[in-house]
Amino acid sequence: MSVASSVLVPYASYLRVYEPLAAFPEPERSHWARYARRPRTPGAQEELRRSLADLLPTPPVPVPVHESGEAFVAHLDGVVVVCPWRTRLRAWLALEELVAEGYPGPVLDAMLPPVVRGQVAADHERWLARNPDARPWIRTAVWQVPVRWFALFGDEDRQYEPGVPGDGADAGRAPVLRYRTTMAQARRRLARALRALRESIDDGPMTEGLVEVGRWLEEFHPRALVELDFGGLVHVVPEEWLAEERSAAQLAEGLAALRAGDGDAAGEAYGRLAERWRAIRDLRFAN
C-alpha cells in the first residue's frame, strides 16, 4: 500500500464552483480544454490523498511547492465546466483558519513548528502581492455542512447514491450525497433567503454568513455550476441518515415561514436543522 492510499480521509464537506471554459483566460483555457478530454480525471478522494500525503514528511509540507494543474470536471447542459483544485491557495487559507481557531501554543507548535508557519506566511504574502484577485473555487468545512450553504439549493438538486457492499467490481464504494444547481439559481435563492431574514429578524451570524457566501459567488461566471458535496462526512454517519437527509428542504421550510410572518414555525424548523448538524459536529469529540 502506498503512503498516499493509506492516509485516512478527513470528515469534510465541500462547496465547489465549476466554470465554463470561456471563464478562463488563455493559456489556462486551452489547458483545461485539453484536460477535460482525458479519459479519466482524478476524483475528490484522490485530491485528498495527495494533499494529506504532503503532511507526512518531517517537517511537514503544509503548502505545495507548485500549484496543481488538476481540476474536477462536470457538464452543465452539455457544456464542459471545470473546478480547479488550486491547492496552494486553499492550503494557505486552511492554515490561516487553523491559527485563528486559537489552538494552544504547544499544540499548534507540535502540528506545525513555528519556523514552518513563518515560512508559509512569508510565501503567502509574496504570492498575494502577485495575485491580489485570487479566490478559491472550493470551500471546505470540517465535521459539518454549514447551514448557510443549504440556502443555495433546493430539494430537487439533491443527488444520492447508496454505497455498494459485497464482492463485485464496485464493492466497497462509499455512498455519495451532493446537491448541484446553476449559479443563477443559487444566487436567486441566496437573495431570497437574505431578504426573508432581513425583513424578519436583526442581522446575525446566518445573515452575515450568507452575505459572505454571496460575495464569493459574485466572483464567478454566471453560467457556472455550484455543487455541495458531503465528501468525507458519508463515512461518519449511517447510510440511513444520508438517505433521509433533507437539509435544503428544511431550511427552505424555515425561510418560507419567515416570509409568511410565522416566526414560531421558522424557529422550530431552523432549530431542528441546527440540532441535526450539532449532533454531527459533536461526533468530532467522541471516542
Side-chain angles (χ1 to χ4, degrees), residues 12-16 48 90 138-140 149 227-229 231-232:
S13 62
Y14 307 92
L15 187 62
R16 304 188 182 106
L48 279 169
R90 289 166 55 211
I138 305 173
R139 309 187 77 161
T140 304
W149 289 3
E227 176 186 73
L228 167 53
D229 182 1

Side-chain angles (χ1 to χ4, degrees), residues 63 88-89 92-93 96 117-132:
V63 176
R88 297 196 82 204
L89 175 57
W92 276 316
L93 295 176
E96 288 183 351
R117 298 204 305 275
Q119 183 62 55
V120 165
D123 291 344
H124 188 198
E125 186 173 342
R126 287 192 293 270
W127 186 89
L128 281 178
R130 299 191 303 271
N131 302 274

Side-chain angles (χ1 to χ4, degrees), residues 7 14 34 37 41 44 49 57 77 94 101 116 119 121 126 135 145 153 194 218 220 235 255 265 278 287:
V7 175
Y14 307 92
R34 291 190 300 270
R37 291 195 292 270
T41 55
R49 291 189 182 103
D77 297 330
E101 285 183 1
V116 174
Q119 183 62 55
R126 287 192 293 270
R135 79 281 197 246
V145 175
F153 305 93
L194 274 174
E218 289 174 359
F220 299 99
H235 298 284
L255 292 171
R278 186 179 301 112
N287 291 326

Side-chain angles (χ1 to χ4, degrees), residues 16-71:
R16 304 188 182 106
V17 172
Y18 296 71
E19 292 192 283
L21 297 175
F24 298 93
E26 291 290 2
E28 189 175 7
R29 181 186 306 173
S30 295
H31 166 75
W32 293 131
R34 291 190 300 270
Y35 184 91
R37 291 195 292 270
R38 293 182 182 181
R40 180 186 176 278
T41 55
Q45 298 301 315
E46 179 62 23
E47 186 218 6
L48 279 169
R49 291 189 182 103
R50 292 186 192 183
S51 62
L52 290 173
D54 287 337
L55 299 179
L56 294 178
T58 304
V61 183
V63 176
V65 176
H66 303 289
E67 186 54 89
S68 171
E70 306 280 4

Side-chain angles (χ1 to χ4, degrees), residues 110-256:
M111 296 167 63
L112 288 172
V115 65
V116 174
R117 298 204 305 275
Q119 183 62 55
V120 165
D123 291 344
H124 188 198
E125 186 173 342
R126 287 192 293 270
W127 186 89
L128 281 178
R130 299 191 303 271
N131 302 274
D133 298 323
R135 79 281 197 246
W137 278 257
I138 305 173
R139 309 187 77 161
T140 304
V142 180
W143 286 98
Q144 64 171 321
V145 175
V147 170
R148 60 185 177 274
W149 289 3
F150 291 110
L152 309 179
F153 305 93
D155 192 60
E156 65 274 20
D157 302 322
R158 183 179 180 276
Q159 300 175 6
Y160 174 60
E161 299 174 14
V164 180
D167 301 319
D170 293 333
R173 190 185 71 195
V176 174
L177 180 56
R178 68 189 178 198
Y179 290 78
R180 280 182 168 179
T181 192
T182 63
M183 177 63 76
Q185 188 68 280
R187 288 173 175 170
R188 280 195 293 269
R189 289 189 179 116
L190 187 143
R192 288 200 300 267
L194 274 174
R195 186 162 56 249
L197 287 168
R198 286 171 166 166
E199 291 176 353
S200 305
I201 58 178
D202 294 332
D203 284 357
M206 183 68 171
T207 302
E208 294 169 1
L210 286 175
V211 169
E212 194 269 334
V213 170
R215 288 173 179 161
W216 178 64
L217 292 181
E218 289 174 359
E219 299 290 331
F220 299 99
H221 196 280
R223 296 188 181 275
L225 170 72
V226 184
E227 176 186 73
L228 167 53
D229 182 1
F230 276 53
L233 292 180
V234 301
H235 298 284
V236 78
V237 296
E239 283 211 39
E240 294 80 5
W241 190 99
L242 295 171
E244 297 172 357
E245 195 285 324
R246 290 293 190 280
S247 293
Q250 290 177 327
L251 182 59
E253 176 188 344
L255 292 171

